[in-house]
Amino acid sequence: MTSLISTLKHTLTQRLREHTPATLLIGLSGGVDSVVLLHALVGLRDEQAMELPPLAAMHINHGISQNAADWQAFCETLCNVWDVPFHCAEVTVEHTARTSLEATARDKRYGALCAQAMSLSAAVLTAHHSDDQAETVLLQLKRGAGPKGLSGMAESSRLNEVDIWRPLLGLSRVEIERYASDHQLTWVEDESNSDTRYDRNFLRQTLLPALQERWPGFTRTVTRSAALCASQQSLLEEVCDERLSSLLVDDGAIQIAGLLAYSEAWQQALIRRWIEMRALPMPSNAQLEQILRIPYAAAGRQPAVVIGQYSVRRFRDKLYIVNNKQDCDATQLTDAMAVAVDKPVSIDGMTISLSFEASDEAEQLFTRDPTQLAIRPAPLTLPVKPRGEQHHKPLKQWCKLWNMPPWQRESLWLLFDNDEAVALLIPDTLKIVPLGREEGQRVYLSCK
């Protein structure tokens, strides 16, 4: 048994002990690494050397190279010969000002792989190896990354609720190429891999060979350092999560007084973890410093740090993460939108559903005529009476009583039964506040 097969069996045994997906979906570019991974898995399957879920392979056609169609055909033929179900997706990769072509292509590739994996209830397997890991760590070092970035790639991670496994991460490029030669495999060569204008190719073609010639164990030691950084990052996240749990309130905001009880270094770590838990892009160091200054702004001010499509804002004694409002579509600009039972509608980032059947996530409302329901923008001057309250007050006054942050008041919606408001909808929190009458035809409103 070769060291590659032994490593593959050991790694997969660990992963499958933790979770057994319905399928193993191999990312197949047609290059030597992915061809070797697929060949080794087919061998384990055919020789019944271990119990594996069914295999499938997926090729992502980026459409960048003039040879893209040939690579796709090669992968499809290979899968037919090896009796592996083949899937393919074409993606459009456009260069943007702030994102490299490599990064954009990677995001598109993983997006397509995860979408296919979700449809198959599969785990995605990629053929990354220790040389790829060294390149990743060096790129992160160039960007000034901390322990998280310097951890490189994990053997097992999750993306978009899909398991991503890298079972060859402990092996070198030399070992993979030796396996390919021993088994007389064929593969395709991406001509762009020799283009040193791309950062990763520059490292692969120019810098890493020099480093490995000077220090033959360089790749192995970088991989070890990445593992140590990953271990330290895991401990940091564990402590951060414990401390955050005491700082967060029901609406996901951070209590400023509790945050300021920690050192500045811990404040930075807690803010980063808070944002990461929302699966949002990390702020730059300069933006993080601005966030830490928010608590010291004068009373009555509403400071905000804008980070792409979200902002960090202060209201009273808390910090909030707020989605920045995008340009409204025609639906959002409509004065009124009819809502019918069992016909969900989308507006302002919400999907609103009405039903005659009760459910745990739905609010019970009372209407005179459930066929005459419509959603309209909520005027803050309109008097309303939340269920259980004694008097009508302008909506603006209720918002103040509820300590509703100002940005939430800017996009409120009301569900009307003819001209009577029966529910308030708050898009930022997906909350429903029943209003008005407490008798009539029962309907159940949910918002997600």
Side-chain angles (χ1 to χ4, degrees), residues 358-416:
S359 65
D360 291 339
E361 64 272 11
E363 285 284 353
Q364 178 180 264
L365 305 178
F366 295 94
T367 71
R368 287 176 295 179
D369 185 352
T371 67
Q372 298 298 314
L373 299 176
I375 295 173
R376 301 175 193 166
L380 293 177
T381 56
L382 182 72
V384 296
K385 184 177 79 68
R387 187 181 300 164
E389 298 292 344
Q390 298 299 316
H391 305 288
H392 284 75
K393 294 179 183 177
L395 181 55
K396 183 178 181 179
Q397 290 187 25
W398 289 117
C399 290
K400 288 182 179 180
L401 288 172
W402 296 331
N403 289 323
M404 183 183 292
W407 56 86
Q408 291 183 6
R409 306 175 199 179
E410 295 171 0
S411 85
L412 298 175
W413 297 83
L414 288 169
L415 179 69
F416 281 88

Side-chain angles (χ1 to χ4, degrees), residues 224-275:
R224 185 165 65 246
S225 291
L228 290 171
C229 286
S231 177
Q232 293 300 308
Q233 180 65 24
S234 178
L235 290 174
L236 176 62
E237 290 176 357
E238 186 176 328
V239 177
C240 273
D241 290 349
E242 290 177 1
R243 294 187 172 185
L244 265 180
S245 66
S246 67
L247 298 179
L248 295 178
V249 291
D250 290 342
D251 53 7
I254 283 185
Q255 300 175 63
I256 289 176
L259 180 67
L260 295 182
Y262 293 103
S263 67
E264 184 171 321
W266 269 112
Q267 290 177 38
Q268 291 179 346
L270 290 165
I271 292 293
R272 285 188 180 277
R273 185 62 175 160
W274 177 50
I275 293 172

Side-chain angles (χ1 to χ4, degrees), residues 7 9 31 64 87 100 119 150 181 194 238 249 257 307 321 353 446:
T7 298
K9 284 187 65 177
I64 298 174
H87 305 274
S100 70
S119 71
L150 297 178
S181 176
S194 61
E238 186 176 328
V249 291
I307 307 164
I321 292 175
S353 302
S446 62

Side-chain angles (χ1 to χ4, degrees), residues 129-155:
H129 46 70
S130 61
D131 293 70
D132 294 322
Q133 182 76 301
E135 293 164 8
T136 298
V137 172
L138 289 173
L139 285 170
Q140 291 293 338
L141 187 63
K142 176 187 78 72
R143 295 169 186 146
K148 185 174 181 64
L150 297 178
S151 300
M153 297 176 285
E155 269 194 0

Side-chain angles (χ1 to χ4, degrees), residues 30 75 115 128 177 182 207 212 230 241 249 281 315 402 419 433:
C75 291
H128 291 105
E177 291 177 347
D182 291 346
L207 188 57
Q212 289 169 333
D241 290 349
V249 291
F315 178 63
W402 296 331
D419 291 327
V433 180

